[in-house]
Amino acid sequence: MGFRLPIIRRALFAVNQASSKAVDAQKGHLAVYVGEKMKRFVIPVSYLNQPLFQELLSKAEEEFGYDHPLGGLTIPCSEDVFQRITSSLN
């Protein structure tokens, strides 16, 4: 999967719009909500450039569009899968 700039731009736009609703995240990080219980994770924005994470963004776009009322991105996968993916990105 190649670099998908439009998805990243739209994701960042959605995050910026919702940032006033979100609980503080450190500079260079963003909140994502994962799993059935919508557990909140704060991740580095550098993950947005990673192909594995871009696949998650594509799934989020398909399932939720760009409406994320929780104030962060909603990622449609289990917490276990999300943690395995993000641990491989570190």
Side-chain angles (χ1 to χ4, degrees):
M1 174 176 224
F3 187 71
R4 296 183 62 174
L5 190 56
I7 288 176
I8 293 171
R9 282 186 182 161
R10 283 181 268 175
L12 287 174
F13 178 74
V15 169
N16 287 337
Q17 280 192 322
S19 64
S20 62
K21 299 177 191 174
V23 177
D24 290 340
Q26 292 179 344
K27 185 176 182 177
H29 292 74
L30 65 117
V32 296
Y33 294 89
V34 178
E36 290 182 22
K37 296 181 181 181
M38 293 298 170
K39 183 173 179 180
R40 183 176 188 263
F41 292 88
V42 178
I43 61 164
V45 295
S46 62
Y47 284 7
L48 296 173
N49 290 327
Q50 301 298 321
L52 281 175
F53 201 81
Q54 288 179 9
E55 288 180 34
L56 291 177
L57 289 176
S58 293
K59 289 180 183 179
E61 177 186 10
E62 290 172 14
E63 188 163 327
F64 302 109
Y66 294 103
D67 182 28
H68 301 274
L70 293 174
L73 291 172
T74 306
I75 305 293
C77 71
S78 69
E79 291 177 31
D80 291 337
V81 169
F82 182 79
Q83 288 177 327
R84 269 187 263 135
I85 288 172
T86 55
S87 68
S88 72
L89 298 176
N90 290 331

Coordinates of all heavy atoms in Angstrom, one line a residue:
M1 N 0.8 -1.2 0.0 CA 0.0 0.0 0.0 C 0.9 1.2 0.0 O 1.8 1.4 0.8 CB -0.9 0.0 1.2 CG -1.7 1.2 1.4 SD -2.8 0.9 2.8 CE -4.3 1.6 2.1
G2 N 0.7 2.1 -0.9 CA 1.5 3.3 -1.0 C 1.1 4.4 0.0 O 0.1 4.3 0.7
F3 N 1.8 5.5 -0.1 CA 1.5 6.6 0.7 C 0.2 7.3 0.3 O 0.0 7.7 -0.8 CB 2.7 7.6 0.6 CG 2.6 8.8 1.5 CD1 2.8 8.6 2.9 CD2 2.3 10.0 1.1 CE1 2.8 9.6 3.7 CE2 2.2 11.1 1.9 CZ 2.5 10.9 3.3
R4 N -0.8 7.4 1.2 CA -2.1 7.9 0.9 C -2.3 9.2 1.5 O -3.0 9.4 2.6 CB -3.2 6.9 1.3 CG -3.0 5.6 0.5 CD -4.0 4.6 0.8 NE -5.3 5.2 0.4 CZ -6.5 4.5 0.4 NH1 -6.4 3.2 0.8 NH2 -7.6 5.1 0.1
L5 N -1.8 10.3 0.9 CA -1.9 11.6 1.5 C -3.3 12.1 1.7 O -3.6 12.7 2.8 CB -1.1 12.6 0.6 CG -0.8 14.0 1.2 CD1 -0.2 13.9 2.6 CD2 0.0 14.8 0.3
P6 N -4.2 11.9 0.8 CA -5.6 12.4 1.0 C -6.2 11.9 2.3 O -6.9 12.6 3.0 CB -6.4 12.0 -0.2 CG -5.3 11.9 -1.3 CD -4.1 11.4 -0.6
I7 N -6.0 10.6 2.6 CA -6.6 10.0 3.8 C -6.0 10.6 5.0 O -6.6 10.9 6.0 CB -6.4 8.5 3.8 CG1 -7.3 7.8 2.7 CG2 -6.6 7.9 5.2 CD1 -7.1 6.3 2.6
I8 N -4.6 10.8 5.0 CA -4.0 11.4 6.1 C -4.5 12.8 6.3 O -4.7 13.2 7.5 CB -2.4 11.3 6.0 CG1 -2.0 9.9 6.0 CG2 -1.7 12.2 7.0 CD1 -0.5 9.7 5.6
R9 N -4.6 13.6 5.3 CA -5.0 15.0 5.4 C -6.4 15.0 6.0 O -6.7 15.8 6.9 CB -5.0 15.7 4.0 CG -3.7 16.1 3.6 CD -3.8 16.9 2.4 NE -2.4 17.3 1.9 CZ -2.1 17.7 0.7 NH1 -3.1 17.8 -0.2 NH2 -0.9 18.0 0.4
R10 N -7.4 14.2 5.5 CA -8.7 14.2 6.0 C -8.7 13.7 7.4 O -9.5 14.2 8.2 CB -9.6 13.3 5.1 CG -10.0 14.0 3.8 CD -10.9 13.1 3.0 NE -10.0 12.3 2.1 CZ -10.3 11.4 1.3 NH1 -11.5 11.0 1.2 NH2 -9.4 10.8 0.6
A11 N -7.9 12.7 7.8 CA -7.9 12.3 9.2 C -7.4 13.4 10.1 O -7.9 13.6 11.2 CB -7.0 11.0 9.3
L12 N -6.3 14.1 9.7 CA -5.8 15.2 10.5 C -6.8 16.3 10.6 O -7.0 16.9 11.6 CB -4.5 15.7 9.9 CG -3.3 14.8 10.1 CD1 -2.1 15.4 9.4 CD2 -3.0 14.7 11.6
F13 N -7.6 16.6 9.5 CA -8.6 17.6 9.5 C -9.7 17.2 10.6 O -10.1 18.0 11.4 CB -9.3 17.7 8.1 CG -10.4 18.7 8.1 CD1 -10.1 20.1 8.2 CD2 -11.7 18.3 8.0 CE1 -11.1 21.0 8.1 CE2 -12.7 19.2 8.0 CZ -12.4 20.6 8.1
A14 N -10.1 15.9 10.6 CA -11.1 15.5 11.5 C -10.6 15.6 12.9 O -11.3 16.0 13.8 CB -11.5 14.0 11.2
V15 N -9.3 15.2 13.1 CA -8.8 15.3 14.5 C -8.7 16.8 14.9 O -9.0 17.1 16.0 CB -7.3 14.7 14.5 CG1 -6.6 15.0 15.8 CG2 -7.5 13.2 14.3
N16 N -8.3 17.7 14.0 CA -8.2 19.1 14.4 C -9.5 19.7 14.7 O -9.7 20.5 15.6 CB -7.5 19.9 13.2 CG -6.1 19.7 13.1 OD1 -5.4 19.3 14.1 ND2 -5.5 19.9 11.9
Q17 N -10.6 19.3 14.0 CA -11.9 19.8 14.2 C -12.4 19.3 15.6 O -13.1 20.0 16.3 CB -12.9 19.3 13.2 CG -12.8 20.2 11.9 CD -14.0 19.9 11.0 OE1 -14.5 18.8 10.9 NE2 -14.5 20.9 10.4
A18 N -12.1 18.1 15.9 CA -12.5 17.5 17.2 C -11.7 17.8 18.4 O -12.0 17.5 19.5 CB -12.7 16.0 17.0
S19 N -10.5 18.4 18.1 CA -9.6 18.6 19.2 C -10.1 19.5 20.4 O -9.7 19.3 21.5 CB -8.3 19.3 18.7 OG -8.5 20.6 18.2
S20 N -11.1 20.3 20.1 CA -11.6 21.1 21.2 C -12.5 20.2 22.1 O -12.7 20.5 23.3 CB -12.5 22.3 20.7 OG -13.5 21.7 19.9
K21 N -12.9 19.1 21.6 CA -13.7 18.1 22.4 C -12.9 17.1 23.1 O -13.3 16.5 24.1 CB -14.7 17.4 21.5 CG -15.7 18.2 20.7 CD -16.5 17.3 19.8 CE -17.3 18.1 18.8 NZ -18.0 17.3 17.9
A22 N -11.7 16.9 22.7 CA -10.8 15.8 23.2 C -10.1 16.3 24.5 O -9.8 17.4 24.7 CB -9.8 15.5 22.2
V23 N -9.9 15.3 25.3 CA -9.1 15.5 26.5 C -7.6 15.7 26.0 O -7.3 15.2 24.9 CB -9.1 14.3 27.4 CG1 -8.2 14.4 28.6 CG2 -10.6 14.0 27.9
D24 N -6.9 16.5 26.7 CA -5.5 16.9 26.2 C -4.7 15.7 25.8 O -4.7 14.7 26.5 CB -4.8 17.7 27.3 CG -5.4 19.0 27.5 OD1 -6.1 19.5 26.6 OD2 -5.1 19.6 28.5
A25 N -4.0 15.8 24.7 CA -3.0 14.9 24.2 C -1.8 15.7 24.0 O -1.9 16.9 23.6 CB -3.4 14.2 22.9
Q26 N -0.6 15.2 24.3 CA 0.6 15.9 24.1 C 0.8 16.3 22.7 O 0.3 15.7 21.7 CB 1.8 15.0 24.5 CG 1.9 14.7 25.9 CD 3.1 13.8 26.2 OE1 3.7 13.2 25.3 NE2 3.5 13.7 27.5
K27 N 1.6 17.4 22.5 CA 1.9 17.8 21.1 C 2.5 16.7 20.3 O 3.4 16.0 20.9 CB 2.8 19.0 21.2 CG 3.1 19.7 19.9 CD 4.0 20.9 20.0 CE 4.2 21.5 18.7 NZ 5.0 22.8 18.8
G28 N 2.1 16.5 19.1 CA 2.6 15.5 18.3 C 1.9 14.1 18.5 O 2.4 13.1 18.0
H29 N 0.8 14.1 19.2 CA 0.1 12.9 19.5 C -1.4 13.2 19.2 O -1.9 14.3 19.1 CB 0.2 12.5 20.9 CG 1.6 12.0 21.3 ND1 2.6 12.9 21.4 CD2 2.1 10.8 21.5 CE1 3.7 12.2 21.7 NE2 3.4 10.9 21.7
L30 N -2.2 12.1 19.0 CA -3.6 12.2 18.8 C -4.3 11.0 19.5 O -3.7 10.0 19.8 CB -4.0 12.3 17.4 CG -3.7 11.0 16.5 CD1 -5.0 10.5 16.0 CD2 -2.8 11.4 15.4
A31 N -5.6 11.3 19.9 CA -6.4 10.2 20.5 C -7.1 9.4 19.5 O -7.6 9.9 18.5 CB -7.4 10.9 21.5
V32 N -7.1 8.1 19.8 CA -7.9 7.2 19.0 C -8.7 6.3 19.9 O -8.3 6.1 21.1 CB -7.0 6.3 18.0 CG1 -6.3 7.1 17.0 CG2 -6.0 5.4 18.8
Y33 N -9.9 5.9 19.5 CA -10.7 5.0 20.3 C -10.9 3.7 19.6 O -11.1 3.6 18.4 CB -12.1 5.7 20.4 CG -12.0 6.9 21.2 CD1 -11.7 8.2 20.6 CD2 -12.1 6.9 22.6 CE1 -11.6 9.3 21.4 CE2 -11.9 8.1 23.4 CZ -11.7 9.3 22.8 OH -11.5 10.4 23.5
V34 N -10.7 2.6 20.4 CA -10.5 1.3 19.8 C -11.4 0.3 20.6 O -11.5 0.4 21.8 CB -9.0 0.8 19.9 CG1 -8.8 -0.6 19.3 CG2 -8.1 1.8 19.1
G35 N -11.9 -0.7 19.8 CA -12.6 -1.8 20.5 C -14.0 -1.5 20.8 O -14.6 -0.4 20.6
E36 N -14.7 -2.6 21.3 CA -16.1 -2.5 21.7 C -16.4 -1.4 22.7 O -17.4 -0.8 22.8 CB -16.7 -3.8 22.1 CG -16.8 -4.8 21.0 CD -17.3 -6.1 21.4 OE1 -18.0 -6.2 22.5 OE2 -17.1 -7.2 20.8
K37 N -15.5 -1.3 23.7 CA -15.6 -0.4 24.8 C -15.1 1.0 24.5 O -15.1 1.9 25.4 CB -15.0 -0.9 26.1 CG -15.6 -2.2 26.5 CD -15.0 -2.7 27.8 CE -15.6 -4.0 28.3 NZ -15.0 -4.5 29.5
M38 N -14.6 1.2 23.3 CA -14.0 2.4 22.8 C -12.9 2.9 23.8 O -12.9 4.1 24.3 CB -15.1 3.5 22.7 CG -16.0 3.2 21.5 SD -15.1 3.2 20.0 CE -16.3 2.6 18.9
K39 N -12.0 2.1 24.0 CA -10.8 2.4 24.9 C -10.0 3.5 24.2 O -9.7 3.4 23.0 CB -10.0 1.2 25.2 CG -8.8 1.6 26.1 CD -8.1 0.4 26.6 CE -7.0 0.8 27.5 NZ -6.2 -0.4 28.0
R40 N -9.6 4.5 24.9 CA -8.8 5.6 24.4 C -7.4 5.4 24.4 O -6.8 5.0 25.5 CB -9.2 6.9 25.1 CG -8.5 8.2 24.6 CD -9.0 9.4 25.4 NE -8.5 10.6 24.9 CZ -7.4 11.2 25.3 NH1 -6.7 10.8 26.3 NH2 -7.1 12.4 24.7
F41 N -6.7 5.5 23.3 CA -5.2 5.4 23.2 C -4.7 6.7 22.7 O -5.3 7.3 21.8 CB -4.8 4.3 22.3 CG -5.1 2.9 22.8 CD1 -6.3 2.3 22.5 CD2 -4.2 2.2 23.5 CE1 -6.6 1.1 22.9 CE2 -4.5 0.9 24.0 CZ -5.7 0.3 23.7
V42 N -3.6 7.2 23.2 CA -2.9 8.4 22.6 C -1.7 7.9 21.9 O -0.8 7.2 22.5 CB -2.5 9.4 23.7 CG1 -1.8 10.6 23.1 CG2 -3.8 9.8 24.4
I43 N -1.6 8.2 20.6 CA -0.5 7.7 19.7 C 0.2 8.8 19.1 O -0.3 9.9 18.9 CB -1.1 6.7 18.7 CG1 -2.1 7.5 17.8 CG2 -1.7 5.5 19.3 CD1 -2.4 6.8 16.5
P44 N 1.5 8.6 18.7 CA 2.2 9.6 18.0 C 1.6 9.8 16.6 O 1.2 8.9 15.9 CB 3.6 9.1 17.9 CG 3.7 7.9 18.8 CD 2.3 7.4 19.0
V45 N 1.6 11.1 16.1 CA 1.1 11.3 14.7 C 2.0 10.7 13.7 O 1.5 10.4 12.6 CB 0.9 12.8 14.5 CG1 -0.2 13.4 15.3 CG2 2.2 13.6 14.6
S46 N 3.2 10.3 14.0 CA 4.1 9.7 13.1 C 3.5 8.3 12.6 O 3.9 7.8 11.5 CB 5.5 9.5 13.7 OG 5.4 8.6 14.8
Y47 N 2.6 7.7 13.4 CA 2.0 6.5 13.0 C 1.2 6.6 11.7 O 1.0 5.7 11.0 CB 1.1 5.9 14.1 CG 1.8 5.3 15.3 CD1 3.2 5.3 15.4 CD2 1.1 4.7 16.3 CE1 3.8 4.7 16.5 CE2 1.7 4.1 17.4 CZ 3.0 4.1 17.5 OH 3.6 3.6 18.6
L48 N 0.7 7.8 11.5 CA -0.1 8.1 10.3 C 0.6 7.8 9.0 O -0.1 7.6 8.0 CB -0.7 9.5 10.3 CG -1.6 9.9 11.5 CD1 -1.9 11.4 11.4 CD2 -2.9 9.1 11.4
N49 N 1.9 7.8 9.0 CA 2.7 7.5 7.8 C 3.0 6.1 7.6 O 3.5 5.7 6.6 CB 4.0 8.3 7.9 CG 3.8 9.8 7.7 OD1 2.9 10.2 7.0 ND2 4.7 10.6 8.4
Q50 N 2.7 5.2 8.6 CA 3.0 3.8 8.5 C 2.0 3.0 7.8 O 0.8 3.2 8.0 CB 3.1 3.2 10.0 CG 4.2 3.9 10.8 CD 5.6 3.8 10.2 OE1 5.9 2.7 9.7 NE2 6.4 4.8 10.3
P51 N 2.4 2.2 6.8 CA 1.4 1.4 6.0 C 0.4 0.6 6.8 O -0.8 0.6 6.5 CB 2.3 0.5 5.2 CG 3.6 1.2 5.1 CD 3.8 1.9 6.4
L52 N 0.8 -0.1 7.9 CA -0.1 -0.8 8.7 C -1.2 0.1 9.3 O -2.3 -0.3 9.4 CB 0.6 -1.6 9.9 CG 1.4 -2.8 9.5 CD1 2.1 -3.4 10.7 CD2 0.4 -3.9 9.0
F53 N -0.7 1.2 9.8 CA -1.7 2.2 10.4 C -2.6 2.8 9.3 O -3.8 3.0 9.6 CB -1.0 3.3 11.2 CG -1.9 3.9 12.2 CD1 -2.1 3.3 13.4 CD2 -2.6 5.1 12.0 CE1 -3.0 3.8 14.4 CE2 -3.4 5.6 12.9 CZ -3.7 5.0 14.1
Q54 N -2.1 3.0 8.1 CA -2.9 3.5 7.0 C -4.0 2.5 6.7 O -5.1 2.9 6.3 CB -2.0 3.8 5.8 CG -1.2 5.1 6.1 CD -0.3 5.4 4.9 OE1 -0.4 4.8 3.8 NE2 0.6 6.4 5.1
E55 N -3.7 1.2 6.8 CA -4.8 0.2 6.6 C -5.9 0.4 7.6 O -7.1 0.3 7.3 CB -4.2 -1.2 6.7 CG -3.4 -1.5 5.5 CD -2.8 -3.0 5.6 OE1 -3.5 -3.8 6.1 OE2 -1.7 -3.2 5.1
L56 N -5.5 0.7 8.9 CA -6.6 0.9 9.9 C -7.3 2.2 9.6 O -8.6 2.2 9.8 CB -5.9 1.0 11.3 CG -5.3 -0.2 11.9 CD1 -4.6 0.1 13.2 CD2 -6.4 -1.3 12.1
L57 N -6.7 3.2 9.1 CA -7.3 4.4 8.7 C -8.3 4.2 7.6 O -9.4 4.8 7.6 CB -6.3 5.5 8.3 CG -5.5 6.1 9.4 CD1 -4.5 7.1 8.8 CD2 -6.4 6.8 10.5
S58 N -8.0 3.4 6.6 CA -8.9 3.1 5.5 C -10.1 2.3 6.0 O -11.2 2.6 5.6 CB -8.2 2.2 4.5 OG -7.1 2.9 3.9
K59 N -9.9 1.4 7.0 CA -11.1 0.7 7.5 C -11.9 1.7 8.3 O -13.2 1.6 8.3 CB -10.6 -0.4 8.4 CG -10.0 -1.6 7.6 CD -9.5 -2.7 8.5 CE -8.9 -3.8 7.7 NZ -8.4 -4.9 8.5
A60 N -11.3 2.6 9.0 CA -12.1 3.6 9.8 C -12.9 4.5 8.9 O -14.1 4.8 9.1 CB -11.1 4.4 10.7
E61 N -12.3 4.8 7.8 CA -13.0 5.7 6.8 C -14.2 4.9 6.2 O -15.3 5.5 6.1 CB -12.0 6.1 5.6 CG -12.7 6.9 4.5 CD -11.8 7.1 3.4 OE1 -10.7 6.5 3.3 OE2 -12.2 7.9 2.5
E62 N -14.0 3.7 5.9 CA -15.1 2.9 5.3 C -16.2 2.7 6.3 O -17.4 2.8 5.9 CB -14.6 1.5 4.9 CG -13.7 1.5 3.7 CD -13.0 0.1 3.5 OE1 -13.5 -0.9 4.1 OE2 -12.1 0.0 2.7
E63 N -15.9 2.5 7.6 CA -16.9 2.2 8.6 C -17.6 3.4 9.1 O -18.8 3.5 9.4 CB -16.4 1.3 9.7 CG -17.4 0.9 10.6 CD -17.0 -0.3 11.5 OE1 -16.2 -1.1 11.1 OE2 -17.5 -0.4 12.7
F64 N -16.8 4.5 9.4 CA -17.3 5.7 10.1 C -17.3 6.9 9.3 O -17.8 8.0 9.8 CB -16.5 5.9 11.4 CG -16.5 4.7 12.3 CD1 -15.3 4.0 12.5 CD2 -17.6 4.4 13.1 CE1 -15.3 2.9 13.4 CE2 -17.6 3.3 13.9 CZ -16.4 2.6 14.1
G65 N -16.6 6.9 8.1 CA -16.5 8.2 7.4 C -15.5 9.1 8.2 O -14.6 8.6 8.8
Y66 N -15.8 10.4 8.3 CA -15.0 11.3 9.0 C -15.7 11.9 10.2 O -15.3 13.0 10.7 CB -14.4 12.4 8.1 CG -13.5 11.7 7.1 CD1 -13.9 11.5 5.8 CD2 -12.2 11.3 7.4 CE1 -13.1 10.8 4.8 CE2 -11.4 10.6 6.5 CZ -11.8 10.4 5.2 OH -11.0 9.8 4.3
D67 N -16.8 11.3 10.6 CA -17.5 11.8 11.8 C -17.1 10.9 13.0 O -17.4 9.8 13.1 CB -19.0 11.6 11.6 CG -19.8 12.1 12.7 OD1 -19.3 13.0 13.4 OD2 -20.9 11.6 12.9
H68 N -16.3 11.6 13.9 CA -15.8 10.9 15.1 C -16.2 11.7 16.3 O -15.4 12.5 16.8 CB -14.3 10.7 15.0 CG -13.8 9.9 13.8 ND1 -13.7 8.6 13.8 CD2 -13.5 10.3 12.6 CE1 -13.3 8.1 12.6 NE2 -13.2 9.2 11.9
P69 N -17.4 11.5 16.8 CA -17.9 12.3 17.9 C -17.2 12.2 19.2 O -17.4 13.1 20.1 CB -19.4 11.9 18.0 CG -19.4 10.5 17.4 CD -18.3 10.5 16.4
L70 N -16.4 11.2 19.4 CA -15.7 11.1 20.7 C -14.5 12.1 20.8 O -13.9 12.1 21.8 CB -15.2 9.6 20.8 CG -16.3 8.6 21.0 CD1 -15.7 7.2 21.1 CD2 -17.1 8.9 22.3
G71 N -14.2 12.8 19.7 CA -13.1 13.7 19.8 C -11.8 13.2 19.3 O -10.7 13.8 19.4
G72 N -11.7 12.0 18.8 CA -10.5 11.4 18.3 C -11.0 10.4 17.2 O -12.2 10.2 17.0
L73 N -10.0 9.8 16.6 CA -10.4 8.8 15.5 C -10.9 7.5 16.2 O -10.4 7.1 17.2 CB -9.1 8.5 14.7 CG -8.5 9.5 13.8 CD1 -7.2 9.1 13.3 CD2 -9.5 9.9 12.7
T74 N -11.9 6.9 15.5 CA -12.5 5.7 16.0 C -11.9 4.6 15.0 O -12.1 4.7 13.8 CB -14.0 5.7 15.9 OG1 -14.5 6.8 16.7 CG2 -14.6 4.4 16.5
I75 N -11.2 3.6 15.6 CA -10.5 2.6 14.8 C -11.3 1.3 15.0 O -11.5 0.8 16.1 CB -9.1 2.4 15.3 CG1 -8.3 3.7 15.2 CG2 -8.4 1.3 14.5 CD1 -8.0 4.2 13.8
P76 N -11.8 0.7 13.9 CA -12.6 -0.5 14.0 C -11.8 -1.8 14.0 O -11.7 -2.5 13.1 CB -13.5 -0.4 12.7 CG -12.6 0.2 11.7 CD -11.8 1.2 12.5
C77 N -11.2 -2.0 15.2 CA -10.6 -3.3 15.4 C -10.5 -3.6 16.9 O -10.9 -2.7 17.7 CB -9.1 -3.3 14.8 SG -8.0 -2.3 15.7
S78 N -10.2 -4.7 17.3 CA -10.1 -5.1 18.8 C -8.9 -4.4 19.4 O -7.9 -4.0 18.7 CB -10.0 -6.6 19.0 OG -8.8 -7.1 18.5
E79 N -8.9 -4.2 20.7 CA -7.8 -3.6 21.4 C -6.5 -4.5 21.2 O -5.4 -3.9 21.1 CB -8.1 -3.5 22.9 CG -9.2 -2.5 23.2 CD -9.5 -2.4 24.7 OE1 -8.6 -2.7 25.5 OE2 -10.7 -2.1 25.0
D80 N -6.7 -5.8 21.2 CA -5.5 -6.7 21.1 C -4.8 -6.5 19.7 O -3.6 -6.3 19.7 CB -5.9 -8.2 21.2 CG -6.3 -8.5 22.6 OD1 -5.9 -7.8 23.6 OD2 -7.0 -9.5 22.8
V81 N -5.6 -6.4 18.7 CA -5.1 -6.2 17.3 C -4.4 -4.8 17.3 O -3.3 -4.7 16.8 CB -6.2 -6.3 16.2 CG1 -5.6 -5.9 14.9 CG2 -6.7 -7.8 16.2
F82 N -5.0 -3.8 17.8 CA -4.5 -2.5 17.8 C -3.2 -2.4 18.5 O -2.2 -1.8 18.0 CB -5.5 -1.5 18.4 CG -5.0 -0.1 18.4 CD1 -5.1 0.7 17.2 CD2 -4.5 0.5 19.5 CE1 -4.6 2.0 17.2 CE2 -4.0 1.8 19.5 CZ -4.1 2.6 18.3
Q83 N -3.1 -3.0 19.7 CA -1.9 -3.0 20.5 C -0.7 -3.8 19.8 O 0.4 -3.4 19.8 CB -2.1 -3.6 21.9 CG -2.9 -2.6 22.7 CD -3.2 -3.2 24.1 OE1 -3.4 -4.4 24.3 NE2 -3.3 -2.3 25.1
R84 N -1.1 -4.9 19.1 CA 0.0 -5.6 18.3 C 0.5 -4.8 17.2 O 1.7 -4.7 16.9 CB -0.6 -6.9 17.8 CG -0.4 -8.1 18.7 CD -0.8 -9.4 18.1 NE -2.2 -9.6 18.6 CZ -3.2 -10.1 17.8 NH1 -3.0 -10.3 16.5 NH2 -4.4 -10.3 18.3
I85 N -0.4 -4.1 16.5 CA 0.0 -3.2 15.4 C 0.9 -2.1 15.9 O 2.0 -1.8 15.4 CB -1.2 -2.7 14.6 CG1 -1.8 -3.9 13.8 CG2 -0.8 -1.6 13.6 CD1 -3.1 -3.5 13.1
T86 N 0.4 -1.4 16.9 CA 1.2 -0.2 17.4 C 2.5 -0.6 18.0 O 3.5 0.1 17.9 CB 0.4 0.6 18.4 OG1 -0.1 -0.2 19.4 CG2 -0.8 1.3 17.6
S87 N 2.5 -1.8 18.7 CA 3.8 -2.3 19.3 C 4.8 -2.6 18.2 O 6.0 -2.4 18.4 CB 3.6 -3.4 20.2 OG 3.2 -4.6 19.5
S88 N 4.3 -3.0 17.0 CA 5.3 -3.3 15.9 C 5.8 -2.0 15.3 O 6.8 -2.0 14.5 CB 4.6 -4.2 14.9 OG 3.7 -3.5 14.1
L89 N 5.1 -0.9 15.5 CA 5.5 0.4 14.9 C 6.5 1.1 15.8 O 7.2 2.0 15.3 CB 4.3 1.3 14.7 CG 3.2 0.8 13.8 CD1 2.0 1.8 13.8 CD2 3.7 0.6 12.4
N90 N 6.7 0.7 17.0 CA 7.6 1.3 17.9 C 9.0 1.0 17.6 O 9.5 0.2 17.0 CB 7.4 1.0 19.4 CG 6.1 1.6 19.8 OD1 5.7 2.7 19.4 ND2 5.4 1.0 20.8

